[in-house]
Amino acid sequence: MKEIHPIYQNEFGVSFFWKLEKDIIKDKIQLVFKETGLQMNLEELIAFKCLIEESYGQNYCCDECELKVNCSKYLVKTPFNEVDLALSINEMILMNNLVSTTLFKIDLENYLWGIGRN
C-alpha cells in the first residue's frame, strides 16, 4: 500500500498527497469523500472550489424549509467535464470546507517552507 501525506480531514472526507518512498508527490491532491476519490492538480482544485460555491449559491433558496438542506441533491460540476457530483446543501458546505481548508493548508505550507523561510 502506498503511503500518504495527510493535508486535511473533516467529517465528510480527507485530502492528501501520495508519497513515493520518502518523497511527497505534490503535483496532485487526492480527495476522498463518500465512496469517491478525485485526484486534481492545484488549478483544478481552485476551480472545483469555485464550482462548489457557485452551485451552493444557485441552490440554497428555501430558507423557511428545514428539510431543504438535507433532503435534496443537486448536481455540482467538477473540473472534469465527464464528472458531476450529486450533493445536498449540507454536503456542499462540508465539501467546500474540505477543499477550502486543503487549499489554505497547501498555501500555508508553501509559504512556511518557501518565501516565509528565513
Side-chain angles (χ1 to χ4, degrees):
M1 184 171 145
K2 290 184 181 177
E3 294 202 26
I4 65 168
H5 177 78
I7 303 170
Y8 180 67
Q9 179 176 352
N10 66 12
E11 59 266 28
F12 190 67
V14 62
S15 62
F16 58 87
F17 294 118
W18 286 105
K19 288 173 96 177
L20 183 61
E21 295 178 12
K22 293 186 180 190
D23 296 325
I24 299 170
I25 304 167
K26 292 191 171 187
D27 60 333
K28 294 282 187 172
I29 300 108
Q30 180 77 45
L31 295 178
V32 178
F33 52 94
K34 295 171 90 172
E35 293 83 28
T36 306
L38 294 175
Q39 195 172 51
M40 303 180 197
N41 63 34
L42 189 59
E43 293 77 26
E44 291 167 335
L45 193 61
I46 292 167
F48 187 40
K49 178 183 181 295
C50 293
L51 292 166
I52 295 165
E53 291 172 350
E54 181 181 310
S55 183
Y56 177 82
Q58 291 174 348
N59 294 303
Y60 192 80
C61 56
C62 298
D63 292 333
E64 66 277 354
C65 179
E66 293 179 24
L67 299 176
K68 185 69 172 180
V69 294
N70 289 313
C71 67
S72 296
K73 299 278 185 180
Y74 303 96
L75 283 181
V76 178
K77 296 207 173 294
T78 70
F80 313 110
N81 291 335
E82 303 83 11
V83 178
D84 291 340
L85 303 172
L87 300 175
S88 70
I89 294 294
N90 280 344
E91 289 170 334
M92 281 188 228
I93 292 167
L94 290 170
M95 177 63 86
N96 191 46
N97 171 266
L98 178 63
V99 172
S100 296
T101 307
T102 296
L103 288 167
F104 172 78
K105 291 187 120 192
I106 290 170
D107 285 345
L108 179 62
E109 188 171 311
N110 289 340
Y111 177 80
L112 291 174
W113 295 104
I115 195 169
R117 191 172 188 194
N118 289 329

